[in-house]
Amino acid sequence: MSDASPVDEKRMRLRFAGTCRVCGIDIPARTPALYERSTRTVRCLAHDERHDVPAVDGPLDVGTPGASARREFERRRDGRERRLRARYPRIGGFLLAVSDEPQSTAAWNTGALGEERLGSTLNELASDRLRILHDRRIPGSRANIDHLAVTPTGIYVIDAKKHAGRPRLKVEGGVLRPRVEKLVVGSRDCTRLVDGVLKQVDVVRGVVGDDVAVHAVLCFVEADWPLIGGSFATRGVSVLWPRKLYPLLAADGSMTLDAVERTHRDLAAALRPA
């Protein structure tokens, strides 16, 4: 949370793109944010939500797994259908029937499926010891957090991925050159996924502070995992699959049930459904 006084800061729509000084996420131009006059820096609204957003009373909107990805897929699919039917009135329907969706559109469907499948099981496991939020919007950004789990061992920021291939850690350098860790899935360099979930962790820490442990997880729901072993960590991010994740969420920890509920409500208030 910022130590800037209310007099020192101004809530405004940014004239130019900026970067949140707390969590480092990019804030596009014309996005509402907090400008600190003394430091000439900006903060995204996630770092003011505990004061600006009233507590959530009654049942929480825990969100719908994969909702924003599903909407984006349907928007792109429907837009393609309209364009084809307008351009080829007679054979537009036939072209749609015999052609596949572009990869850029199909990827949204794949992502939504991964979030939906993992989210469905998380909902089944939810209890007073395991409280779940899905598809939360990151303030000042078009990005979202797939799943949040609040447990006695802390908060788990879970990024669900439905990628083919085997995830593995590729290490380069380490003796004469700096050590560099890369996340590889099949033959693809997917290190950017690690960067993405770490930014999400920073957003969550901006909401709850440093008193609650925040764990980063990349969960590959249908990857080619080996029968023995397979999971690993890179830069503090656990890379695993659902059956490896669930025991972590069920583990005993030091947070009381009251603290779990309070943290769950704080996150629900600050990070709204996408």
Side-chain angles (χ1 to χ4, degrees):
M1 204 56 194
S2 171
D3 55 2
S5 69
V7 176
D8 180 54
E9 63 188 28
K10 178 181 179 181
R11 184 167 176 161
M12 61 183 293
R13 288 186 179 273
L14 300 183
R15 292 181 60 191
F16 306 100
T19 301
C20 176
R21 74 165 179 82
V22 178
C23 63
I25 69 169
D26 295 331
I27 308 177
R30 302 188 60 79
T31 299
L34 294 164
Y35 174 70
E36 296 179 12
R37 296 182 177 89
S38 61
T39 61
R40 296 184 179 180
T41 59
V42 294
R43 306 196 317 272
C44 63
L45 295 184
H47 307 295
D48 201 47
E49 296 285 10
R50 285 183 291 175
H51 297 291
D52 287 351
V53 176
V56 178
D57 296 321
L60 298 180
D61 182 356
V62 300
T64 302
S68 59
R70 177 64 58 204
R71 287 196 304 270
E72 180 63 17
F73 166 69
E74 292 173 351
R75 183 187 71 82
R76 291 174 177 239
R77 179 200 61 193
D78 295 346
R80 175 173 176 261
E81 179 177 352
R82 287 194 300 271
R83 291 191 298 272
L84 275 176
R85 290 187 182 277
R87 187 173 182 180
Y88 306 104
R90 291 189 174 183
I91 62 170
F94 171 76
L95 294 176
L96 289 166
V98 300
S99 61
D100 295 328
E101 296 287 350
Q103 176 58 30
S104 59
T105 298
W108 288 97
N109 184 50
T110 300
L113 287 172
E115 294 179 42
E116 290 163 354
R117 292 176 184 177
L118 179 59
S120 176
T121 303
L122 291 175
N123 284 340
E124 294 174 2
L125 297 174
S127 67
D128 57 352
R129 290 172 48 84
L130 173 56
R131 297 179 180 268
I132 303 296
L133 295 170
H134 303 291
D135 202 26
R136 315 310 286 192
R137 184 178 303 282
I138 296 176
S141 169
R142 297 181 63 184
N144 71 300
I145 299 174
D146 291 347
H147 312 282
L148 290 168
V150 187
T151 80
T153 58
I155 301 166
Y156 290 79
V157 180
I158 306 167
D159 199 357
K161 297 299 177 187
K162 188 174 179 291
H163 285 26
R166 176 165 297 181
R168 58 187 176 89
L169 180 63
K170 181 178 180 181
V171 179
E172 299 177 347
V175 179
L176 300 178
R177 294 179 298 159
R179 176 187 171 95
V180 176
E181 295 185 352
K182 293 183 178 181
L183 170 62
V184 178
V185 182
S187 60
R188 293 175 295 170
D189 184 349
C190 296
T191 307
R192 62 180 180 79
L193 301 180
V194 178
D195 299 329
V197 75
L198 287 174
K199 288 184 178 181
Q200 296 172 21
V201 166
D202 288 340
V203 171
V204 171
R205 284 202 176 108
V207 175
V208 302
D210 297 326
D211 295 332
V212 181
V214 183
H215 310 281
V217 176
L218 275 170
C219 189
F220 289 87
V221 299
E222 290 187 2
D224 177 26
W225 292 101
L227 294 177
I228 300 176
S231 61
F232 56 89
T234 174
R235 292 159 54 196
V237 178
S238 297
V239 183
L240 40 67
W241 61 98
R243 289 189 180 275
K244 285 282 189 177
L245 170 64
Y246 303 145
L248 298 180
L249 304 182
D252 291 330
S254 60
M255 283 182 66
T256 66
L257 296 185
D258 286 344
V260 169
E261 179 183 11
R262 183 170 60 253
T263 302
H264 185 239
R265 288 185 174 273
D266 287 345
L267 288 169
L271 303 172
R272 299 294 187 177

